[in-house]
């Protein structure tokens, strides 16, 4: 179900902020990144304070407004059909805006991380856009609190092994952590 980003923002807020701090450590000087839409990556945008100028591409109008207020951030907003619950754009027009984009990292949230069904979100349009954003980046970083493990959403973004890094909290089940790391995915525990 596609729940409002405002409702999702209040769920596990403390964990999202800790995960966001860990995500910031991956930003390098003069970086170019994509930040998707969702509550976990919005928390990341809220705390992001780069020391040097970075370029950020986003389909989220909420994230674009947050980043517009920050120093050392140049924001490129993708166009497309607006979705009310996420305050973001999706669709073929949005994906076409990625054609000439080359970034180091894509930061995404998700509704579920499941070894059988992969990384999922609430709907197919968001999954399609996320897959397109992955093709424009060297690395894909998932920001997900431990409640997302073992769950699944409707739209499949990709298999677990398609992800490079997952940043989560210490509540991740140890057996699942080992299985994910065995697939070659780096897991960073934010404390």
């Amino acid at each position: 179900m596609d729940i409002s980003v405002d409702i999702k923002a209040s769920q596990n807020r403390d964990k999202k902020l800790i995960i966001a701090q860990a995500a910031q450590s991956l930003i390098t000087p003069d970086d170019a990144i994509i930040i998707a839409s969702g509550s976990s990556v919005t928390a990341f945008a809220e705390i992001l304070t780069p020391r040097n100028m970075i370029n950020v591409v986003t389909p989220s109008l909420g994230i674009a407004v947050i980043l517009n207020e920050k120093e050392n951030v140049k924001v490129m907003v993708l166009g497309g059909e607006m979705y009310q619950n996420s305050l973001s754009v999706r669709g073929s027009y949005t994906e076409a805006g990625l054609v000439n984009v080359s970034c180091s990292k894509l930061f995404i949230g998700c509704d579920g991380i499941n070894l059988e069904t992969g990384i999922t979100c609430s709907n197919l349009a968001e999954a399609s856009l996320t897959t397109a954003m992955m093709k424009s980046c060297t690395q894909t970083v998932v920001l997900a609190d431990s409640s997302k493990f073992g769950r699944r959403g409707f739209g499949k973004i990709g298999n677990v092994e398609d992800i490079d890094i997952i940043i989560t909290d210490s509540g991740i089940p140890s057996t699942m952590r080992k299985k994910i790391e065995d697939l070659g995915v780096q897991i960073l525990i934010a404390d």
Side-chain angles (χ1 to χ4, degrees), residues 50-65:
R51 290 188 207 115
N52 299 75
M53 182 61 72
I54 64 169
N55 289 297
V56 179
V57 178
T58 186
S60 169
L61 283 95
I63 288 173
V65 169

Side-chain angles (χ1 to χ4, degrees), residues 1-43:
M1 179 194 298
D2 197 8
I3 300 171
S4 167
V5 72
D6 293 331
I7 293 171
K8 285 183 173 183
S10 65
Q11 299 170 340
N12 298 314
R13 176 84 175 149
D14 54 338
K15 292 178 182 177
K16 289 176 184 177
L17 289 171
I18 292 168
I19 291 166
Q21 288 289 343
Q24 180 165 263
S25 71
L26 299 178
I27 301 300
T28 59
D30 303 315
D31 217 344
I33 63 172
I34 299 177
I35 302 177
S37 63
S39 59
S40 294
V41 291
T42 298

Side-chain angles (χ1 to χ4, degrees), residues 5 8-9 13 15-17 19-21 23-24 33-48 56-64 66-67 70 86 88 105-110 126 130 133 140-145 148 167:
V5 72
K8 285 183 173 183
R13 176 84 175 149
K15 292 178 182 177
K16 289 176 184 177
L17 289 171
I19 291 166
Q21 288 289 343
Q24 180 165 263
I33 63 172
I34 299 177
I35 302 177
S37 63
S39 59
S40 294
V41 291
T42 298
F44 173 52
E46 289 169 354
I47 63 95
L48 184 62
V56 179
V57 178
T58 186
S60 169
L61 283 95
I63 288 173
I66 291 167
L67 294 177
K70 297 188 178 270
S86 64
S88 66
K105 289 169 275 303
L106 164 64
F107 294 89
I108 66 171
C110 66
E126 182 181 355
T130 304
M133 291 188 294
T140 300
V141 181
V142 175
L143 310 183
D145 68 73
K148 304 296 174 89
I167 304 176

Side-chain angles (χ1 to χ4, degrees), residues 119-190:
I119 309 296
T120 54
C121 59
S122 64
N123 62 74
L124 295 176
E126 182 181 355
S128 178
L129 175 59
T130 304
T131 301
M133 291 188 294
M134 289 170 70
K135 293 175 183 169
S136 295
C137 295
T138 306
Q139 289 186 312
T140 300
V141 181
V142 175
L143 310 183
D145 68 73
S146 57
S147 72
K148 304 296 174 89
F149 290 90
R151 291 175 47 189
R152 70 175 178 188
F154 177 66
K156 183 172 181 173
I157 295 167
N159 295 321
V160 173
E161 59 268 22
D162 296 332
I163 302 304
D164 298 291
I165 301 170
I166 296 173
I167 304 176
T168 190
D169 58 81
S170 58
I172 181 176
S174 58
T175 55
M176 181 167 276
R177 178 179 179 176
K178 173 147 182 28
K179 289 178 182 177
I180 291 172
E181 289 176 328
D182 287 348
L183 293 171
V185 180
Q186 180 182 2
I187 295 183
L188 301 177
I189 303 297

